[in-house]
Amino acid sequence: VQLVESGGGSVQSDGSLRLSCAASGYTYASYCMGWFRQAPGKGREGVASITSYGMPTYADSVKGRFTISRDNAKHTLYLQMNALKPEDTAIYYCAARPACGGVYSYPRFASYAYNTWGQGTQVTVSS
């Protein structure tokens, strides 16, 4: 099982970036997927999550600015980030867990519930 993020970079405030996460080695379509981020000196926080059938959940800090989506045929997860702010600067990670519900009914942004992580991609937003 592997997750590989791409698409990070440096942008100015109000700019946009699109992150991608390519998945391999498991039944991607059935998995619950999430994006997390970690800023310097801070803990890891959940940004967005999406169920196997495409229902999203967002952190309050990114609602209306970020959009999570998935292409099950391409085994790829996306995060479209618009109206970026300096406080969005962080390393962004994608993560996977077998399901969002059932025996895996943990909070959507509980990092301990995700058993597979990518290596992360840096996003830097300057004012």
Side-chain angles (χ1 to χ4, degrees):
V1 177
Q2 281 191 319
L3 299 174
V4 180
E5 302 98 334
S6 61
S10 297
V11 296
Q12 293 188 327
S13 290
D14 293 327
S16 297
L17 283 173
R18 188 194 196 200
L19 305 183
S20 299
C21 173
S24 62
Y26 66 101
T27 308
Y28 169 80
S30 66
Y31 269 58
C32 180
M33 302 296 297
W35 285 101
F36 291 76
R37 67 186 181 187
Q38 188 164 15
K42 296 187 177 180
R44 190 168 296 187
E45 65 170 344
V47 174
S49 177
I50 189 167
T51 67
S52 60
Y53 47 89
M55 180 173 290
T57 300
Y58 297 98
D60 288 343
S61 58
V62 305
K63 278 181 182 176
R65 300 189 298 122
F66 290 12
T67 302
I68 188 171
S69 62
R70 64 191 298 164
D71 185 332
N72 288 341
K74 295 183 178 180
H75 287 208
T76 302
L77 178 73
Y78 302 100
L79 185 68
Q80 178 66 45
M81 304 185 295
N82 298 328
L84 282 161
K85 305 174 181 180
E87 52 264 43
D88 295 317
T89 295
I91 299 174
Y92 283 70
Y93 300 88
C94 69
R97 74 194 212 199
C100 290
V103 297
Y104 297 97
S105 292
Y106 303 102
R108 199 67 74 83
F109 296 141
S111 58
Y112 59 81
Y114 291 80
N115 56 7
T116 303
W117 293 81
Q119 84 289 348
T121 185
Q122 177 71 47
V123 171
T124 303
V125 185
S126 58
S127 58

